[in-house]
Amino acid sequence: MLHIQENISLKAYNSFGIDVKANYFAEIFSEADLQTLFENEITQLQKLLIIGGGSNVLFTQDYEGLVIKISIKGIESIANGENILVTAGAGEVWNDFVNYCVEHGFAGVENLSLIPGTVGASPIQNIGAYGVELKDVFESCTAFEIKTGKIRTFNFSDCHFGYRESTFKGELKGQYIITTVTFRLASQPNINTSYGAIETELQNRGIEKPNIADVSAAVSHIRVSKLPDPSTIGNAGSFFKNPVIEKYEFADVVAKHPDVVHYPTPDDRIKLAAGWLIEQCGWKGKVVGQTGTWKNQALVLVNHGNATGKEVYNFSAQIIDSVKSTFGVTLEREVNIL
């Protein structure tokens, strides 16, 4: 039974643990719940915010509108030759979904272990880590069209994936609510250990021929060693995108900073490591008031207790200014600011 609540604290619904309130709040467990919700006049009178795990948002004030939390669950799989099509409800916790795939021998998402958030958010953000992006395993998704109440299927070409971008963050922002995502995974894995510290971690474990469970465990260990647990200290994972710049811009950076950490991109540009840039500017582990950067990873901003969203935002602005001044590179926030 759909229940719309009023004047609800969102502290438990955002991984930063920012204590703000929403005028209205509704939790959705099925597409039928969405149909019912959008027949209510509240949805016509209020601005809307769709959340999953609340792991990619920073609230800087109370939300004057209706917050809709998507909690649609369920995972199903169908064999399709050497491929496995796996469909998951948008409310499934992303890492629970990854663990399900690893346990069943479905290869393709093991490098994305321990990314916070839900399945429904994964194509919106085109999440990625350790050499793999969501678009590499995406088959399709279904989404509720807010204007018409109809369910539409989006294929790969419909989504216009880019670096941490998709059509759901661009031209169709605010028009659809994702309800399920289907992934094209493999029964025969193509193990990817070339990015980051995965190979080193596998060597430390004495593993020469890793399987997908080994890769998932290695990635999880690396992430836990670098990133704070949101259940113990508020954070939203990586706060900034890794900047992607043109080669001529990179020439200027590397001339002044020969040791700059960088990676080539498929479109012949250069990706810089935002965490490295921030650390070089002296921000790693810094505490300012109730906020700061994580001691093991400068890319992560944290709430040390009772930080406000504005405090965190202002702190991030200082970091952006510092990196720009030092490297001539402008960092972009990955977290959505509200």
Side-chain angles (χ1 to χ4, degrees):
M1 182 74 179
L2 180 68
H3 179 48
I4 301 175
Q5 299 172 274
E6 296 185 41
N7 198 31
I8 293 298
S9 171
L10 297 176
K11 186 172 184 177
Y13 299 106
N14 72 97
S15 62
F16 252 117
I18 303 297
D19 193 7
V20 295
K21 292 184 177 180
N23 285 4
Y24 298 95
F25 179 89
E27 190 165 5
I28 300 299
F29 297 96
S30 67
E31 290 178 353
D33 281 349
L34 279 174
Q35 297 285 355
T36 301
L37 177 63
F38 280 87
E39 290 170 0
N40 192 300
E41 66 176 6
I42 285 178
T43 60
Q44 313 303 319
L45 301 174
Q46 301 289 324
K47 64 177 182 177
L48 308 175
L49 174 65
I50 317 302
I51 63 171
S55 60
N56 197 44
V57 63
L58 175 66
F59 288 101
T60 61
Q61 58 189 339
D62 289 342
Y63 190 76
E64 303 292 336
L66 168 63
V67 173
I68 303 172
K69 175 173 169 52
I70 305 302
S71 296
I72 300 172
K73 297 296 183 72
I75 303 176
E76 298 177 349
S77 62
I78 300 175
N80 184 5
E82 290 188 356
N83 292 314
I84 311 291
L85 297 181
V86 186
T87 300
E92 288 285 348
V93 173
W94 174 258
N95 198 54
D96 290 348
F97 168 72
V98 172
N99 288 339
Y100 175 94
C101 293
V102 170
E103 289 168 5
H104 286 77
F106 304 155
V109 292
E110 57 276 2
N111 290 53
L112 304 178
S113 296
L114 271 190
I115 291 179
T118 57
V119 165
S122 63
I124 298 173
Q125 184 74 1
N126 186 23
I127 61 172
Y130 297 100
V132 175
E133 289 185 313
L134 185 282
K135 67 179 180 63
D136 300 329
V137 293
F138 180 85
E139 173 70 11
S140 64
C141 67
T142 57
F144 175 89
E145 185 174 19
I146 291 172
K147 186 176 181 179
T148 66
K150 295 180 179 179
I151 300 295
R152 173 181 167 184
T153 297
F154 287 82
N155 296 316
F156 181 92
S157 60
D158 299 323
C159 293
H160 304 159
F161 290 120
Y163 176 57
R164 303 296 176 267
E165 295 289 345
S166 72
T167 190
F168 302 108
K169 287 182 71 176
E171 58 266 39
L172 296 183
K173 183 176 182 179
Q175 297 181 39
Y176 288 87
I177 300 173
I178 293 175
T179 54
T180 68
V181 183
T182 299
F183 303 82
R184 182 176 290 274
L185 304 181
S187 56
Q188 300 298 318
N190 180 17
I191 300 294
N192 181 351
T193 62
S194 61
Y195 196 97
I198 300 178
E199 286 185 345
T200 301
E201 178 58 29
L202 290 170
Q203 289 171 6
N204 292 341
R205 292 169 178 241
I207 298 171
E208 295 182 359
K209 295 182 179 180
N211 56 32
I212 60 173
D214 295 326
V215 173
S216 176
V219 169
S220 296
H221 176 83
I222 295 165
R223 292 186 70 92
V224 167
S225 70
K226 290 183 176 181
L227 306 175
D229 182 350
S231 68
T232 59
I233 184 166
N235 75 92
S238 298
F239 195 89
F240 301 99
K241 296 180 182 180
N242 288 320
V244 179
I245 61 177
E246 303 295 337
K247 284 189 171 179
Y248 73 87
E249 296 173 297
F250 177 68
D252 291 338
V253 174
V254 77
K256 298 175 183 175
H257 309 277
D259 54 347
V260 62
V261 177
H262 64 281
Y263 308 93
T265 67
D267 60 356
D268 205 33
R269 296 194 292 169
I270 303 293
K271 182 191 293 185
L272 304 180
W276 185 89
L277 298 175
I278 296 166
E279 184 173 347
Q280 300 310 303
C281 293
W283 291 99
K284 184 177 180 180
K286 192 156 189 176
V287 178
V288 177
Q290 289 293 306
T291 188
T293 53
W294 183 236
K295 60 184 179 181
N296 297 331
Q297 173 53 272
L299 193 56
V300 178
L301 273 57
V302 297
N303 176 0
H304 283 295
N306 297 306
T308 66
K310 287 182 178 178
E311 232 186 307
V312 177
Y313 180 84
N314 291 339
F315 181 70
S316 72
Q318 292 180 55
I319 291 174
I320 291 173
D321 290 345
S322 180
V323 170
K324 178 68 172 178
S325 175
T326 304
F327 294 98
V329 174
T330 302
L331 293 181
E332 185 180 346
R333 295 176 181 90
E334 186 172 327
V335 170
N336 295 307
I337 309 298
L338 293 170

